[in-house]
């Protein structure tokens, strides 16, 4: 079972990998965007980590809705509202439960991804974060590690795609041949689930 503490660790682990990978995310956003994706997410996840450390919410749903609201208010650009919606909608779908199973998280994250698709209008194949998130949700029923691998493969698979949404779409054919920054950061978010669960096992409880 996954409790509020697990979800807090998930957000903390995401914040840590965003710190580690911020330069790479910004570099990916340079040829097909405006070179701010790493710094955008760094600002957002720093705020999330600080808020959750200061006052840890009591339920998994509350951790994610809180994180989502903070991302919306601190991250500029397209990715703030999109990531904020992802986490807020996922948190809402988890409801008030004190603990949830991985299958429930998979279902809730599916609802979150659908909300992102509605907000941004992107479908799989449009070269966005959706291309990492959809395969991750599909694999999450299997294991966190399977979801991590699926998200990573999904991110890599955006390279040959033509961007149809967001700034990269302004480049048309010239967007081909570059990995999408948002799909790359989404893969970090999903990989952080593995980090958060590894800590539980290492804790040996
Ligand atoms: P901005 O494009 O405003 O500078 P960021 O650089 O922070 O915002 O984020 C860019 C990422 O946001 C893209 O790589 C893409 O994955 C994602 N993105 C942009 N528009 C959309 C959309 N309509 N739907 C889903 N994801 C999108
Ligand atoms: Mg950008």
């Amino acid at each position: 079972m996954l409790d509020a503490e697990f979800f807090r660790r998930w957000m903390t682990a995401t914040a840590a990998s965003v710190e580690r990978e911020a330069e790479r995310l910004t570099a990916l956003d340079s040829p097909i965007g405006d070179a701010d994706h790493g710094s955008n997410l760094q600002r957002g996840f720093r705020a999330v980590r600080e808020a959750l450390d200061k006052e840890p919410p009591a339920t998994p749903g509350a951790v994610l809705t809180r994180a989502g609201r903070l991302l919306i208010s601190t991250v500029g650009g397209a990715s703030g509202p999109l990531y904020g919606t992802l986490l807020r909608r996922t948190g809402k779908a988890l409801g008030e439960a004190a603990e949830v199973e991985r299958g429930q998280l998979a279902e809730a994250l599916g609802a979150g991804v659908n909300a992102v698709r509605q907000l941004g209008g992107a479908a799989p194949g449009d070269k966005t974060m959706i291309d990492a998130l959809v395969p991750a949700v599909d694999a999450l029923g299997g294991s966190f590690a399977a979801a991590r691998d699926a998200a990573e493969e999904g991110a890599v698979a955006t390279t040959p795609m033509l961007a149809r949404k967001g700034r990269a779409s302004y480049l048309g054919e010239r967007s081909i041949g570059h990995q999408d920054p948002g799909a790359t950061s989404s893969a970090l978010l999903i990989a952080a689930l593995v980090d958060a669960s590894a800590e539980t096992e290492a804790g040996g409880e």
Side-chain angles (χ1 to χ4, degrees):
M1 293 295 273
L2 310 169
D3 59 8
E5 178 54 22
F6 171 85
F7 282 83
R8 198 185 61 77
R9 282 202 310 274
W10 178 23
M11 293 297 103
T12 306
T14 303
S17 67
V18 163
E19 292 289 345
R20 273 197 307 274
E21 302 286 330
E23 273 181 41
R24 177 169 165 248
L25 294 174
T26 287
L28 289 172
D29 194 33
S30 155
I32 57 168
D34 55 354
D36 65 355
H37 190 56
S39 47
N40 281 344
L41 290 188
Q42 216 171 10
R43 186 167 57 252
F45 278 98
R46 275 181 192 170
V48 167
R49 193 193 49 211
E50 276 165 28
L52 298 181
D53 278 352
K54 216 186 211 170
E55 208 181 318
T59 63
V63 170
L64 296 187
T65 50
R66 182 95 180 274
R69 275 203 307 273
L70 279 161
L71 291 179
I72 291 170
S73 64
T74 58
V75 180
S79 63
L82 292 166
Y83 271 117
T85 295
L86 176 70
L87 296 184
R88 238 167 38 143
R89 188 68 189 79
T90 302
K92 248 189 174 169
L94 291 176
E96 311 269 284
E99 294 186 322
V100 300
E101 305 208 33
R102 185 162 38 75
Q104 291 172 277
L105 172 58
E107 207 172 296
L109 196 61
V113 171
N114 284 337
V116 172
R117 289 179 66 164
Q118 240 173 8
L119 177 65
D126 286 349
K127 197 181 182 95
T128 69
M129 56 175 72
I130 293 299
D131 292 307
L133 292 172
V134 166
V137 167
D138 291 344
L140 196 52
S143 68
F144 286 139
R148 172 198 59 199
D149 294 349
E152 177 60 33
E153 279 166 32
V156 169
T158 61
T159 302
M161 290 176 186
L162 175 83
R164 290 199 186 81
K165 291 287 166 196
R167 265 175 213 285
S169 67
Y170 308 157
L171 295 176
E173 303 266 318
R174 279 182 296 138
S175 66
I176 293 172
H178 303 280
Q179 186 168 319
D180 180 63
T184 309
S185 58
S186 287
L188 297 179
L189 174 74
I190 300 300
L193 283 167
V194 177
D195 301 338
S197 61
E199 281 179 46
T200 329
E201 279 149 34
E205 298 136 276

